[in-house]
Amino acid sequence: MAEFEREPVAPAALKPGRYFAGSYAGEHVAGTEFVIGALFVTWGVGAGEVIAGLLVGNLLAVLSWVLICAPIATDTRLTLYAYLEKIAGPGFIKVYSVINGILFCVLAGAMITVSASAVRILFGIPPQVEWYPTSITFVLIALAVGAVVSFAAMRGFSFVARFSEVAAPWMIAMFFIGGAATLPLILANTPSVTSINSYGDFLELAETSIWIEQGGDVGFWHVASFAWGANLAFHGGLGDMSILRYARKAGYAWYSSLGMFIGHFAAWLAAGIMGAGAAMILQQPLNTLDAGEVAFQALGAMGILAVIVAGWTTSNPTIYRSGLAFQSLNPKWSRERVTAVVGVITTIIACFPFVFTGLLGFLGLMALVMAPIGGLIFAEHFVFRKMGLPRYWHSTTGSALNVPALITWIASVGVAAICSFGLGVEIFFLFIPAWLSALILYPLIASAMGAKKADMDMLARGETAEAERIAIEREFLRNPPEIKFKGSGNGLLLGGAALSLAVAVGLGISAYISGDLASFQAMIIWPSLTYFAFAIFLVLREGKQEQ
């Protein structure tokens, strides 16, 4: 199936909303949520500040997808790399694609490490919390997990989205019921709270035994900024142009709220609860436990599966993006082969747990590097016309490198560095001045260095061709062909999957009421297995009917 690496996505290849609902829910309800959710426990931020900060930060992230990334993606139907090459030239994109591809490799490697941290429990391997592996068996596990993930990414966007469709509903359920099943244990170890009958009771329990305020410098704005900037590379940095270019409507970016408020709000809170509970069970500090151990203590064997699947749902699209980044270096390279090479590199990185233990600092660095590119592209796409500057002016110069764009990128990172080293601004906040600096600097520098002298006749021909493409697409989307699934089998499979999840949720509620964590862990296996049986057959059946 064509992946449209360098040309706009054809109208017939555009996808309906359910692809993006599954993709965002699956990618952002991930194994790293166990890491980040537990992080807020160790930060010493009060429960009220954690909850409020996550609400604000995740709302800002959703708005970034809706107002910044999706309009550009659906206007152009191009990947970030193809569009950036159009704006900044092939010389610029070669530098950016290498840096961007490496960053995505490291991020995907962290997800694979998270999955491997769950598998290692089956082999009695101790938690891997050093920057290097302490077990050759863990290395072999990471290699095996990486092979599976790389194969899925090689199959392309549709396969990645379908995998998320299957995994996302179950993953969401596991976070909720894992947190619910662990709460009675925490409640039993909190003498000041005897039951949870209101939000006030929960908040008191949370402030006493989960998110315990320690009076440090970390507070509401740190949590909000982290929640907003954790995926800055994808929304403000426009990495998700690679995904949203397939959307029939820019409004599909609102599906990112499923990832943010189910994954980066509810799942982070549930992971914090499970992390606090796991630390109580094992009588160990939470920072000595990895994601696999936390999930295993809360969900038993299904916790291992949850972390494995969650790592896959995030690393699949991340390796896919990285493959697109490196493939943009040479249009003659096969995307599948490039993705395979990227998968090998990513899997090797995943063998070293530093990508997992240092995830937070890495996310801040990634946001800082990619933020100026988002501001730069947003400026050319939306601001240039308001300033009387022609879009894509550099394409008429014949130069391989847009020097104003390069100066803007370097200067914007420099502004952030000054804010950090000169003003003491912490890394979680630096993406904001970096993005805004690029938005302001690029139009000014481009105007001073030749944008006003562009060949308007050449640009007019390009605008005419683009207008014709958009007109054809709009005509197609007035009455897009809908997929008609035949027979009643789909409804039965969907009903079976939904019933399985309902049973799983019921078991979680029962465990919360009874406080019997062991029985819950033994029983949750069965509805999980039946869910995957129904869901996988349903997706395979629908896939055949679409062909």
Side-chain angles (χ1 to χ4, degrees), residues 18-19 151 155 158-159 162-163 165-166 485 489-490 493 532-547:
R18 65 186 181 89
Y19 279 78
F151 171 77
R155 296 291 299 276
S158 294
F159 187 89
R162 285 194 175 281
F163 186 88
E165 278 188 71
V166 171
F485 297 121
N490 291 37
L493 291 170
F532 276 108
F534 283 120
I536 290 171
F537 276 117
L538 175 64
V539 169
L540 291 176
R541 180 184 173 90
E542 289 183 351
K544 289 180 180 179
Q545 291 173 351
E546 286 184 9
Q547 294 174 357

Side-chain angles (χ1 to χ4, degrees), residues 411-425 430:
S412 298
V413 174
V415 168
I418 292 172
C419 291
S420 177
F421 296 107
L423 303 177
V425 177
L430 294 180

Side-chain angles (χ1 to χ4, degrees), residues 280-293:
M280 288 180 180
I281 292 170
L282 298 173
Q283 295 295 300
Q284 293 182 26
L286 184 54
N287 59 10
T288 65
L289 307 178
D290 59 16
E293 193 66 61

Side-chain angles (χ1 to χ4, degrees), residues 105 109 112-113 133 138-139 142-143 146-147 150 341-355:
C105 280
I112 294 173
T113 304
F138 176 83
V139 172
L143 293 175
S150 300
V341 174
V342 166
V344 171
I345 296 171
T346 299
T347 302
I348 293 172
I349 292 172
C351 295
F352 294 86
F354 78 89
V355 297

Side-chain angles (χ1 to χ4, degrees), residues 6-56:
R6 304 186 68 81
E7 67 274 359
V9 175
L14 300 180
K15 305 295 184 184
R18 65 186 181 89
Y19 279 78
F20 303 91
S23 180
Y24 277 109
E27 182 175 3
H28 299 288
V29 181
T32 47
E33 315 324 343
F34 286 102
V35 182
I36 296 172
L39 165 81
F40 297 128
V41 176
T42 61
W43 266 7
V45 186
E49 290 184 308
V50 168
I51 294 170
L54 291 181
L55 284 172
V56 171

Side-chain angles (χ1 to χ4, degrees), residues 141-160:
I141 291 170
L143 293 175
V145 173
V148 174
V149 169
S150 300
F151 171 77
M154 288 170 61
R155 296 291 299 276
F157 172 76
S158 294
F159 187 89
V160 169

Side-chain angles (χ1 to χ4, degrees), residues 1 4 23 40 156 175 193 201 332 344 346 409 468 492 545:
M1 183 180 293
F4 306 97
S23 180
F40 297 128
F175 272 98
V193 183
D201 291 338
K332 295 181 180 180
V344 171
T346 299
W409 190 13
E468 291 174 354
L492 292 174
Q545 291 173 351

